[in-house]
Structures are given as C-alpha cells and as structure tokens.
Amino acid sequence: MNLYFECNMGAAGDMLASALFELFDNRAELLDELNALALPDTKIEYEAAEGEISGAHLHIIIGGHEETPDHHHDGHSHHHGRSLDEVYKIIDLLNTNSEVKENAKAVYLIVAEAEAMAHGAPVGEVHFHELGMLDAIADVTISAYLINKLSPQRILASPINVGNGTVKCAHGVLPVPAPATANILLGVPYYKSDIQTELCTPTGAAIIKYYADEFVEAPLLSSVKSIGIGVGTKKLERPNIVRAFLFDDGCITELSCNVDDMTGEETAFACEIMMKEGALDCFVTPILMKKGRPAYMLTVLCSNTDCERFSELIFKHTTTLGIRKYTPSRYTLDREINESAGVQIKRSHGFGTTKEKIEFEDLKALALEKNISIFEARQELEKKD
C-alpha cells in the first residue's frame, strides 16, 4: 500500500494529521489511542467538518485553548520557552513505540534547524513557546503515529502550494514562505499561487519533507483504497483542504538486465536482496549471449513508484551496466490469507475462479513435527479443513 499527499492547498501540521486520521474507519477507537499518547496538557477532539468538501478536523486543545493558525509562528523564540532537548524529553515520555518517537524527533529537528538557520543561531539556542510548541508536538506526533500505523511501502507528495503575500508572526510581518519554512523547503518542489495567505507552515513542511520519498504531480491512483481529507481552520476562497490517498499501484514496472560475469551464488544473493526490499517478484533466466557465453537475465517486478529504488539496488548488487525498463499491465486475482484449523490458507479469487493453497511454512512445520513427508502433511491438513 502507498500513501500520497495532495498539497494543492499547502501543508499545515493539523491538516496533515486530520487527513491521515480520516483514512481509518474505527475513528472513535483511534481517537482514544491518540489521547492515550498522553501529550502533556493536551486533549484531542475529532470533528467531521462539513462544507463545500467534507472532511475531518482534529482539534488540539491545550490547557483549554484551541490551536489557531498563528500558533505555528508565535511559538518560536530565542529568549524563552523550551529548548529542543526539552522537546525531545516530552516526546520520549509519550505512550508510543520507539519508531514513532524517533520519527517525531526527526521531524522536529528539521523545524529547529530551519529556525536556527533563519535567525543565525545554533540549534541549541532555539526555544519554543509552550503553547505553540505543544500544538506542533501534537501535530507531529499524531502524524508520526498514524503513518506508523498505516505502514505504507512508499510515501509520495505533490509539489506544495505555499500561498502568497505576507504572514504575521512573533518576528514581524514576513513574506510567504516565511524564512524558516523556506529553509525547510530547500530541495522540495513548491510554488506560489494567487491565494494571499500562508498555506504551508513550518510544521507541515517538515512532516512532508521528512516522510516523502518522492514528489510527483500525481501518481497513477489505479486502486484507491481510502481518501482522507483534512480541513483547515482558515476560511479561503477555495476549499482549504489537504487530501491523503491510500492506494495500490495496479500497474507494475519490469526491470531486467543481462549479466555474464557473476557467479550463481552472487546472482542468487541479488535476488534475495530484491525480495527482501519488497519486490513483487524476482527471477533469474539462464541465457546464451554473443560468442556463446552462458549468462543470466535478472528480472525484477516492482510497483511503478518503486522503479528508481530497485534500479539503484540492481546496479548496486549486480555487475550490469544497463537496465531495460518495461511497464506492462496485468490481471491479478484478489488475495487474502485466512486461518483455518491452525494453519494459514492463501485464497485467491476473481475472474470466475477461486484458488486455495496452504501456507508452505505451516506444511513444513507439521512435517518436521511429526516426521512425515510434505505430501502426508498436506493430506492431514486438508482433512482437518
């Protein structure tokens, strides 16, 4: 499964968190999970926002105060508030796993480094005002938690609309994008529009920059599983939303190359790497090259969004100097894994047919346990089923 952020109306931390939240069906339970993170002095509430385009909005309530767009900038200062290390301590105390914490800290470090660059100060001297800091921590942590829960294979994002005009913050009236936001967006495709307001906040920019594997105008959303819409608090002439798409890439890329100077063991190792890295399939075909040289053709099937990554892996783990790329379409059966009689059953169905197969590792475990053949183990399990 892949995740795509559509940032045609910018990227704010609360909107990204809200869009991710709406990708889930069990929202009441999920809201309890988010509040169980135990963000200090923070209560998270969910509202089904209705308007020209309906979506979700997560209200971040800190000490009884509602998050507002201005807090994203009013929260940064050099003279009072909490340091980055103190922010890290808050994140470390949250009730979540280490991966979520490390990702949240990494996003916050991007913000701190950008602020330090903007003000010509060391990162350690950047301080965050308590209210604005807790708002941003909530946005970052919720986003990190939900992305971890979704566990997408790839995360893509569109170029970011930053808006236009000026933004008022603790340091005065600044051009859009504000200096810290512009620093975060170095290397990230963004553009200005005719909307005279700030659409991309430092927190939102940092979340997108940290998580996005690639920036594309729009991937081929051939099999969208869910769409989440995060609604912002600013009232604009266009719907103020960020959309998150959870999708399968139905089209695939086939990468192949010929190698005549690798051993069988080396080629097999390359195949193992490809499968471990998430290839849809990888196989080797014996071939005969010019002058009668025996060789192998390595073929890797991957999603379209993964072709560059697998090209890099093929160049790294083989001796090839070139890779052929094809984009075939394909027909596939819908697949699911169910448990029956203590074993996993792989079921595939579609196009008027249904197929079932017992998970081989379960067959193997039974055969070893009872000292019987694979064939006898299969017969025994089929009788139980």
Side-chain angles (χ1 to χ4, degrees), residues 82-93 104-105 108 127-128 133 137:
R82 299 186 183 183
S83 67
L84 183 63
D85 285 340
E86 290 172 312
V87 172
Y88 282 177
K89 289 178 183 178
I90 291 175
I91 294 173
D92 282 331
L93 292 174
K105 288 194 286 187
Y108 226 91
H127 285 68
F128 303 89
M133 175 200 69
I137 289 180

Side-chain angles (χ1 to χ4, degrees), residues 241 261 279:
I241 61 171
D261 52 355

Side-chain angles (χ1 to χ4, degrees), residues 259-372:
V259 291
D260 63 356
D261 52 355
M262 290 177 63
T263 66
E265 292 91 344
E266 292 167 342
T267 307
F269 178 74
C271 278
E272 290 177 15
I273 292 293
M274 303 304 154
M275 295 304 295
K276 184 178 179 181
E277 289 293 328
L280 300 174
D281 200 0
C282 180
F283 53 93
V284 175
T285 307
I287 58 174
L288 199 65
M289 293 178 62
K290 62 184 180 181
K291 299 182 180 178
R293 296 198 309 272
Y296 302 109
M297 180 170 67
L298 176 75
T299 303
V300 176
L301 301 183
C302 63
S303 66
N304 285 350
T305 55
D306 256 350
C307 62
E308 288 190 16
R309 183 167 69 91
F310 277 101
S311 294
E312 291 176 0
L313 287 169
I314 292 172
F315 280 124
K316 178 179 179 179
H317 292 284
T318 74
T319 57
T320 190
L321 301 179
I323 300 170
R324 297 180 294 276
K325 176 183 175 183
Y326 307 96
T327 53
S329 57
R330 61 174 181 165
Y331 296 103
T332 62
L333 299 179
D334 293 327
R335 289 167 252 187
E336 60 185 24
I337 298 178
N338 298 314
E339 189 168 311
S340 177
V343 298
Q344 295 184 87
I345 307 294
K346 296 179 179 179
R347 288 190 171 92
S348 305
H349 55 88
F351 296 92
T353 187
T354 299
K355 301 178 181 181
E356 293 187 354
K357 183 179 180 182
I358 300 172
E359 171 61 51
F360 182 78
E361 291 301 319
D362 292 342
L363 282 175
K364 179 180 174 182
L366 181 62
L368 292 173
E369 178 188 348
K370 296 194 172 185
N371 193 26
I372 58 178

